[in-house]
Amino acid sequence: MAAIKQLAAVTRSGIGKGAARSVRREGRVPGVVYGGGEAAQPISVDYKDLNKFIYSGQFLTSIFEIDIEGRKQRVLPRDYQLDKVSDKPMHVDFFRLKAGSRVRIAVPVKVTNREASPGLKKGGAVNLVLHSVELVVPAESIPESIIVDLNGMDFHDSVHVSALKLPEGCKPADTRIDYTVVTVVPPTIFTEETPVAAAATTAAAPGAAAPAEGAPAAAAAAPAAGAAAAPAKGAAAAPAKGAAAAPAKGAGKK
């Protein structure tokens, strides 16, 4: 059974956004206590106390004995809101617990005997499929956690909800599906390229590169040589001789 924690609170008369902001300015957090066949009661709790309990973990599965101005009653946190920017508590809801009542709650899962698992000894890993299991439990004996024993578990072995050892009076909230809670998975193996394949790739690379290097050079050289030789000889020899000889002879006879 989870340990019972203590929390002091005071009643508040105002409700609504304006009253809630006024409470927060005083260093307190507005909240409400409801259920148990009684009317809902607006309260406020100290900001530092509530912030410590929320961030210490398992807040929603912890039983509190809340002291409201001298009147003590057991409650279970049902919800809380945090500021979107600062993550500070803004509001909290508590549910009254009456003797003999039963509540639905998500109980966290923990694993033990890792060293006794053959699969983990061979390099495997624990795959925690469900971090918590929804249970219906007696209000006065809420379990702190559910223990899964890894003793003897090898690769691909798993534990389902039906195989869990639950405390007396506790049962799964959903019995329609036998959910997987924990499995042991083998290590991930990354395959490397074999030396033969690597050598074949290295040998093929120069041959593939040679045509690429030779083709541009040959293509660039052939046009350049043809373009430079043909136009240069034809343009420089024929026009130059004809232009220089014809005018000179005619001009000398006249």
Side-chain angles (χ1 to χ4, degrees), residues 198-208:
T201 305
T202 306

Side-chain angles (χ1 to χ4, degrees), residues 12-160:
R12 59 186 177 95
S13 55
I15 57 175
K17 294 183 178 180
R21 283 194 292 266
S22 178
V23 169
R24 296 186 190 104
R25 284 195 294 267
E26 298 173 357
R28 302 186 66 81
V29 180
V32 63
V33 178
Y34 67 95
E38 300 181 23
Q41 182 178 9
I43 62 168
S44 69
V45 298
D46 183 76
Y47 162 77
K48 292 182 179 179
D49 291 342
L50 181 63
N51 191 71
K52 178 186 65 176
F53 284 129
I54 289 176
Y55 285 100
S56 63
Q58 301 183 5
F59 177 66
L60 296 178
T61 58
S62 300
I63 300 176
F64 284 83
E65 186 173 69
I66 192 167
D67 186 342
I68 306 176
E69 299 175 347
R71 183 191 176 193
K72 295 184 178 181
Q73 50 189 311
R74 289 188 178 183
V75 297
L76 181 69
R78 274 308 194 191
D79 194 15
Y80 62 90
Q81 290 83 45
L82 301 179
D83 184 87
K84 295 181 179 179
V85 177
S86 64
D87 284 337
K88 294 180 178 179
M90 302 293 289
H91 193 275
V92 61
D93 298 343
F94 293 101
F95 180 77
R96 292 188 186 93
L97 300 177
K98 296 296 183 180
S101 62
R102 299 175 67 82
V103 295
R104 178 169 177 160
I105 188 171
V107 181
V109 175
K110 294 183 179 180
V111 297
T112 60
N113 287 334
R114 291 173 177 265
E115 67 282 355
S117 168
L120 297 186
K121 289 180 180 179
K122 292 184 289 186
V126 177
N127 179 22
L128 197 59
V129 181
L130 295 181
H131 292 269
S132 62
V133 177
E134 288 274 349
L135 300 178
V136 177
V137 303
E140 61 273 10
S141 58
I142 299 176
E144 187 174 358
S145 61
I146 298 173
I147 304 300
V148 177
D149 192 347
L150 300 181
N151 184 24
M153 292 187 63
D154 208 337
F155 294 156
H156 308 297
D157 288 346
S158 60
V159 175
H160 294 75

